[in-house]
Amino acid sequence: MVDLQSQYKKLQPEIDKAILDVVGSAAFINGPEVKSFQSDLEKYLNVKHVIPCANGTDALQIAMMGLGLEQGDEVITADFTFAATVEVIAILKLTPVLVDVEMDTFNMDIEALKKAITPKTKAIVPVHLFGQCANMEAVLKVAKEHNLYVIEDTAQAIGADYTFRDGTSKKAGTIGNVGTTSFFPSKNLGCYGDGGAIFTNDDDLAHIIRGMVNHGMYKRYYHDVVGVNSRLDSIQAAVLRLKLPHLDEYCDARRTAAEYYNKGFSNSDNIITPITSDFSTHVFHQYTLKLKNINRNALHQHLLDKNIPNAIYYPVPLHLQKAYTDSRYKEENFKVTNELIETVISLPMHTELDNEQQNFIINTILDFIK
Ligand SMILES: *Cc1c(COP(=O)(O)O)cnc(C)c1O
């Protein structure tokens, strides 16, 4: 699905040197590379505070801890996302409330969000799925009306731009109270191991979170708040620092590849290509088709037989996962996710795709559905 080796080769001399420099310095934890990456990312995102941490799942958990959410508080998120989003809600003994998504963008459905609000609701976690922002203007409006926190799961959309109706724009992850991301190798800005970060413009929240990622310490061996051990290590920061200046170019390469796929499938009525909403750019973490009158599972297998990587994101909606069943969920409230899990298929999407590879993928699919 991704080609991390070719991407690495283009930056190999710089990256090899940066990694060896960290090894030589032995500043593995909280070394200067971490601070430098943090401030480079703050500039790129135009956000006051970036707090690096160990992975995107921790980032979500720590953001919720930092906001002081407590047992029994309800947190609303999308039914159609990677499980990490809901997992941390459950781990913290908060109550996850899953809502349906929009058929065209795969993102949280705002009407479903409104219906899910109760007096116990404390936070909304919009997930910017597959690389484009959820309808943040509408999410913020709902949050304001009900006095709720907004935590943006930006693991799949770092670099995307959100434009408000007044024409101003912000980077994905810097719009709500707090945003989180992942630097997992296959994410749009990936390191060579695990990594993550939390973003906020709130000075007090940033201070709390900075202690929380490091055992709740502000001064060594003085533990003011309950924390965790979740740090971005210096080697990963060194890699990310070299890749960050290429992030916009990586996003462009993904968009170009997506347009090429779109053109390739434009004459097929039974293949619905991804749409880009007018308020967000799309950074195509995934390129996901919806199929009509086509046996999706047979196509999935056929592509695998032809050595074409492809994946079903996601095969089971969260409300039907064993770990997250809840007797309050009603199937009629999940019409869209229940349909998506049967019809979506994601194709290879990365920065190194070339037209020849894409032609092969497109033609193999078109031949199959003829
Ligand atoms: C990848 C991902 C995460 C988790 O990130 P990790 O770094 O793997 O822990 C969270 N949410 C979404 C939507 C993701 O895609």
Side-chain angles (χ1 to χ4, degrees):
M1 294 295 279
V2 294
D3 180 358
L4 299 176
Q5 270 124 347
S6 307
Q7 196 193 52
Y8 161 60
K9 291 217 175 80
K10 290 183 178 161
L11 298 175
Q12 183 170 8
E14 294 163 75
I15 287 184
D16 289 1
K17 178 174 181 309
I19 291 175
L20 284 174
D21 284 350
V22 174
V23 175
S25 76
F28 297 112
I29 304 292
N30 285 335
E33 289 290 347
V34 179
K35 274 256 153 355
S36 303
F37 171 63
Q38 175 188 316
S39 79
D40 291 353
L41 189 56
E42 282 164 355
K43 276 188 212 108
Y44 175 82
L45 293 173
N46 193 20
V47 71
K48 270 170 99 175
H49 306 280
V50 165
I51 301 114
C53 65
N55 57 69
T57 308
D58 277 6
L60 282 161
Q61 178 178 331
I62 296 160
M64 289 176 202
M65 288 167 61
L67 290 169
L69 301 182
E70 285 173 357
Q71 183 159 357
D73 289 349
E74 292 180 0
V75 179
I76 302 175
T77 193
D79 188 40
F80 194 64
T81 172
F82 180 55
T85 324
V86 69
E87 174 178 83
V88 300
I89 301 172
I91 290 248
L92 292 174
K93 302 257 187 280
L94 312 171
T95 306
V97 177
L98 297 166
V99 298
D100 212 356
V101 298
E102 298 173 340
M103 186 57 92
D104 54 354
T105 65
F106 309 107
N107 279 325
M108 179 181 275
D109 182 297
I110 303 300
E111 291 311 311
L113 163 67
K114 287 181 186 164
K115 278 195 206 126
I117 290 172
T118 76
K120 289 189 180 161
T121 308
K122 287 284 151 53
I124 310 169
V125 187
V127 181
H128 303 315
L129 203 74
F130 298 157
Q132 75 179 323
C133 294
N135 184 348
M136 288 305 292
E137 199 143 7
V139 169
L140 291 182
K141 186 161 175 265
V142 173
K144 198 166 170 205
E145 274 165 23
H146 299 271
N147 201 18
L148 310 174
Y149 294 121
V150 175
I151 303 159
E152 298 173 71
D153 183 344
T154 316
Q156 300 191 3
I158 193 160
D161 291 297
Y162 186 91
T163 303
F164 291 83
R165 260 171 301 179
D166 67 5
T168 57
S169 77
K170 286 185 180 175
K171 286 281 181 199
T174 69
I175 304 163
N177 300 86
V178 57
T180 65
T181 203
S182 163
F183 304 121
F184 186 80
S186 64
K187 298 280 153 99
N188 288 27
L189 179 62
C191 59
Y192 293 169
D194 276 306
I198 302 158
F199 325 130
T200 186
N201 284 308
D202 179 332
D203 297 337
D204 296 333
L205 181 61
H207 177 74
I208 293 170
I209 288 175
R210 264 205 195 95
M212 275 181 173
V213 297
N214 193 22
H215 302 293
M217 292 191 288
Y218 297 93
K219 193 169 139 193
R220 219 164 190 194
Y221 304 123
Y222 291 79
H223 304 271
D224 295 0
V225 291
V226 177
V228 294
N229 172 13
S230 184
R231 294 174 298 232
L232 180 72
D233 70 68
S234 306
I235 289 180
Q236 302 311 333
V239 170
L240 289 166
R241 219 186 137 201
L242 289 172
K243 287 182 75 175
L244 179 59
H246 299 277
L247 177 57
D248 285 342
E249 162 198 318
Y250 292 161
C251 295
D252 285 340
R254 286 169 178 273
R255 269 190 292 266
T256 303
E259 277 159 25
Y260 197 81
Y261 275 136
N262 286 348
K263 250 202 329 222
F265 296 123
S266 61
N267 289 327
S268 174
D269 291 340
N270 289 326
I271 296 179
I272 301 164
T273 54
I275 69 124
T276 300
S277 38
D278 47 12
F279 47 70
S280 175
T281 60
H282 202 320
V283 296
F284 288 98
H285 176 60
Q286 297 299 344
Y287 181 85
T288 303
L289 299 173
K290 283 178 297 207
L291 306 178
K292 281 199 301 195
N293 312 313
I294 297 168
N295 183 332
R296 194 272 316 267
N297 292 345
L299 175 62
H300 171 60
Q301 190 53 49
H302 178 73
L303 294 177
L304 292 180
D305 294 344
K306 297 267 176 191
N307 284 323
I308 296 175
N310 70 102
I312 312 303
Y313 301 123
Y314 296 93
V316 181
L318 290 177
H319 81 276
L320 290 178
Q321 296 282 1
K322 270 192 211 154
Y324 303 110
T325 50
D326 185 323
S327 57
R328 289 177 302 176
Y329 293 142
K330 295 195 185 71
E331 287 312 308
E332 74 239 36
N333 292 334
F334 297 102
K335 286 205 182 92
V336 177
T337 53
N338 285 343
E339 183 176 332
L340 289 175
I341 55 149
E342 305 285 349
T343 55
V344 289
I345 187 165
S346 298
L347 302 183
M349 172 50 72
H350 54 84
T351 56
E352 314 301 315
L353 271 175
D354 61 38
N355 289 355
E356 200 185 324
Q357 293 167 321
Q358 289 194 276
N359 286 339
F360 179 63
I361 298 165
I362 293 164
N363 292 332
T364 306
I365 294 174
L366 293 178
D367 282 344
F368 179 82
I369 65 168
K370 256 210 290 248

